[in-house]
């Protein structure tokens, strides 16, 4: 921040930018409210947007957008943010979700680079605060739902709900070595699997 971003972007408020970056680990795992950050730091909305954009360009963070198609009352604006420097995240659950996000981002990027499609990574959250952490789409069509949990071996209700709505495969990744389990969800199934095992199968 004090060298590359300052010199190459011409941004002057380096101290405020550092303060923003120090706040981001606590924001992982939830839709990011730019107006709230602007209020906390007493700076303009456009300043926060510009600093976040700089962080993304310099590979400090990456963001994913909400999926809104075929989802009733889905939120449409706020993005979720993840850090490339995951050890900065102190809380275990957001740190695990961040790790899953990095691996999914890597897989989506590889599939696109290999010419397998036009893949993108999203999340789903509706106005009732029901959420699934990740949705993978290919050519704007959803292909898989992925939820990250620390230890819940039973599929969460939101994962069941959105799988029933979208009719696509779903998996719940856990940060424990419990082996693979398959649960029925009406006429479909949800896989619960250790995160490190399932993610290691991605390209």
């Amino acid at each position: 921040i004090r060298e590359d971003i300052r010199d190459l972007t011409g941004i002057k408020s380096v101290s405020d930018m550092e303060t923003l970056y120090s706040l981001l680990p606590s924001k992982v795992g939830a839709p990011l409210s730019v107006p709230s950050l602007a209020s906390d730091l007493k700076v303009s909305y456009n300043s926060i947007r510009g600093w976040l954009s700089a962080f993304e360009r310099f590979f400090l963070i990456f963001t994913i957008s909400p999926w809104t198609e075929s989802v009733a009352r889905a939120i449409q604006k706020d993005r979720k943010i993840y850090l490339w420097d995951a050890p900065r995240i102190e809380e275990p659950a957001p740190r695990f979700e961040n790790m899953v996000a990095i691996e999914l981002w890597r897989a989506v990027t590889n599939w696109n680079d290999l010419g397998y499609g036009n893949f993108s990574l999203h999340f789903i959250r509706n106005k009732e605060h029901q959420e699934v952490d990740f949705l993978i789409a290919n050519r704007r069509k959803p292909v898989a739902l992925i939820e990250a949990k620390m230890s819940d071996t039973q599929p969460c209700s939101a994962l069941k709900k959105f799988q029933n709505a979208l009719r696509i495969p779903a998996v719940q990744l856990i940060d424990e070595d419990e082996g693979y389990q398959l649960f029925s969800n009406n006429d479909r199934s949800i896989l619960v699997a250790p995160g490190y095992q399932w993610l290691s199968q991605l390209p």
Side-chain angles (χ1 to χ4, degrees):
I1 291 174
R2 287 194 170 273
E3 296 180 7
D4 294 344
I5 293 180
R6 180 199 63 193
D7 295 342
L8 296 176
T9 65
I11 294 174
K12 305 298 184 183
S13 305
V14 174
S15 296
D16 287 340
M17 196 189 315
E18 286 183 324
T19 301
L20 172 62
Y21 186 61
S22 72
L23 293 175
L24 295 184
S26 65
K27 307 298 183 182
V28 167
L32 188 70
S33 172
V34 174
S36 176
L37 287 171
S39 176
D40 290 344
L41 294 177
K42 304 296 189 293
V43 299
S44 71
Y45 176 92
N46 287 336
S47 292
I48 297 293
R49 287 287 302 271
W51 298 344
L52 291 173
S53 177
F55 292 160
E56 199 156 9
R57 295 201 313 272
F58 284 84
F59 299 99
L60 292 174
I61 65 170
F62 63 98
T63 63
I64 64 175
S65 61
W67 182 264
T68 60
E69 298 177 32
S70 305
V71 176
R73 294 175 58 78
I75 65 168
Q76 300 184 14
K77 292 184 179 180
D78 294 338
R79 300 171 72 88
K80 288 175 72 171
I81 192 169
Y82 296 99
L83 275 62
W84 290 111
D85 189 7
R88 286 183 175 271
I89 306 167
E90 295 183 0
E91 293 298 320
R95 188 168 60 241
F96 177 63
E97 182 179 331
N98 197 102
M99 181 272 290
V100 173
I102 289 173
E103 293 301 312
L104 294 177
W105 185 272
R106 177 183 57 78
V108 164
T109 301
N110 282 341
W111 289 329
N112 290 337
D113 290 345
L114 292 169
Y116 293 155
N118 183 15
F119 289 88
S120 55
L121 186 61
H122 308 270
F123 70 97
I124 298 180
R125 183 179 173 91
N126 62 21
K127 294 179 181 178
E128 287 71 44
H129 304 295
Q130 297 170 304
E131 180 180 325
V132 171
D133 293 326
F134 305 104
L135 177 146
I136 296 175
N138 183 20
R139 297 186 175 93
R140 296 303 303 171
K141 293 183 179 180
V143 295
L145 291 165
I146 300 100
E147 175 71 10
K149 294 288 188 184
M150 287 299 293
S151 59
D152 294 348
T153 56
Q154 295 290 322
C156 69
S157 59
L159 189 59
K160 294 178 179 179
K161 174 187 176 71
F162 289 123
Q163 184 189 43
N164 287 331
L166 297 174
R167 315 292 296 170
I168 57 176
V171 59
Q172 182 164 300
L173 301 179
I174 58 175
D175 191 27
E176 291 186 357
D177 189 4
E178 295 289 342
Y180 285 67
Q181 301 177 73
L182 202 60
F183 295 86
S184 61
N185 182 27
N186 293 328
D187 61 339
R188 308 190 78 83
S189 297
I190 296 176
L191 176 67
V192 176
Y196 77 93
Q197 288 185 335
W198 191 86
L199 293 168
S200 69
Q201 306 303 310
L202 299 177

